[in-house]
Amino acid sequence: MRFWIGNGINKNKQMVEHLQRYGVISSMKVAEVMETIDRALFVPDGASAYVDSPMAIGYNATISAPHMHATCLQLLEQNLQPGMHALDVGSGTGYLTACFAIMVGPQGRAVGVEHIPELVASSIKNIEKSAAAPLLKEGSLSVHAGDGRQGWPECAPYDAIHVGAAAPEIPQALLDQLKPGGRMVIPVGNMFQDLKVVDKNMDGSISIRSETSVRYVPLTSRDAQLRGY
């Protein structure tokens, strides 16, 4: 699913305006954040940053299409209020982690976990060039090398968890690290995947609904990913 091909779209603001026009973005806050974090800083050199499609970023990983980022930000918006804690599993180039950091602000905490150390290093460089750089410097934004299926207990519990790869089932560690009242957005499935919205109710019970059909790379071990699954 693509909302436009992107010929002549070379500006981040225009990309956001297209997503608004097609009804993908209805939230002013999400539009503002996606305008603040320039996608071009987070895609490989020479790539058409603003085309509405996923892109390979090396190591058998991808950066999601802009419409998927917008969808996830909208689904998590109420859980990305200033001061809240957010976890981005499979943070890749750091784009969505940077968006989370802008939304939760300096009093909040945005954590990216990525199991490919080279991507962690390059994502930090990307963030340093972006509007989220001060948050990285001050420590409210961080990116770590690790197995995201285990979450990142140090900053738990989280109001918002985003998983950028498809799991055969929802990892228990992530459910455990979700705060009551918190929400996780995670693609679930093997060949056929659904973007699941997982809400932890105040009594600790879990509600799950399917938002849309998606195609993500698998949430797997580093070795399996580097072997090409």
Side-chain angles (χ1 to χ4, degrees), residues 63-123:
I63 179 172
S64 293
H67 76 265
M68 279 312 306
H69 282 147
T71 298
C72 291
L73 286 168
Q74 293 228 142
L75 289 169
L76 291 168
E77 182 181 6
Q78 296 312 311
N79 299 81
L80 293 167
Q81 305 283 349
M84 289 184 172
H85 284 213
L87 175 65
D88 187 18
V89 172
S91 48
T93 67
Y95 174 81
L96 208 57
T97 323
C99 290
F100 288 173
I102 295 286
M103 289 178 86
V104 300
Q107 303 307 311
R109 199 73 177 74
V111 178
V113 181
E114 167 56 58
H115 60 187
I116 308 288
E118 293 87 346
L119 285 176
V120 174
S122 60
S123 70

Side-chain angles (χ1 to χ4, degrees), residues 12 14 59 62 126 135 193:
N12 199 61
Q14 281 177 296
Y59 312 99
T62 56
N126 296 342
L135 299 167
Q193 304 162 8

Side-chain angles (χ1 to χ4, degrees), residues 164-228:
E169 59 220 9
I170 301 166
Q172 187 61 44
L174 298 182
L175 287 171
D176 294 345
Q177 290 172 39
L178 194 61
K179 190 185 282 190
R183 171 174 280 191
M184 169 164 39
V185 174
I186 177 171
V188 177
N190 293 310
M191 277 296 288
F192 299 97
Q193 304 162 8
D194 283 316
L195 190 67
K196 300 281 189 189
V197 177
V198 180
D199 288 309
K200 185 178 274 191
N201 305 313
M202 294 316 286
D203 64 2
S205 63
I206 300 288
S207 307
I208 303 176
R209 68 176 171 84
S210 293
E211 174 69 17
T212 182
S213 295
V214 289
R215 284 300 299 272
Y216 278 76
V217 297
L219 183 68
T220 181
S221 69
R222 186 175 65 182
D223 292 347
Q225 183 169 326
L226 291 174
R227 280 200 309 269

Side-chain angles (χ1 to χ4, degrees), residues 44-63:
D45 288 343
S48 314
Y50 308 115
V51 175
D52 194 33
S53 66
M55 278 174 206
I57 57 172
Y59 312 99
N60 291 318
T62 56
I63 179 172

Side-chain angles (χ1 to χ4, degrees), residues 114-171:
E114 167 56 58
H115 60 187
I116 308 288
E118 293 87 346
L119 285 176
V120 174
S122 60
S123 70
I124 289 168
K125 290 199 175 82
N126 296 342
I127 292 166
E128 283 169 345
K129 294 180 211 153
S130 80
L135 299 167
L136 185 71
K137 195 161 180 252
E138 290 155 18
S140 64
L141 164 56
S142 60
V143 186
H144 309 272
D147 184 343
R149 295 173 295 184
Q150 304 305 316
W152 195 255
E154 193 186 313
C155 299
Y158 296 98
D159 301 276
I161 299 178
H162 167 266
V163 182
E169 59 220 9
I170 301 166

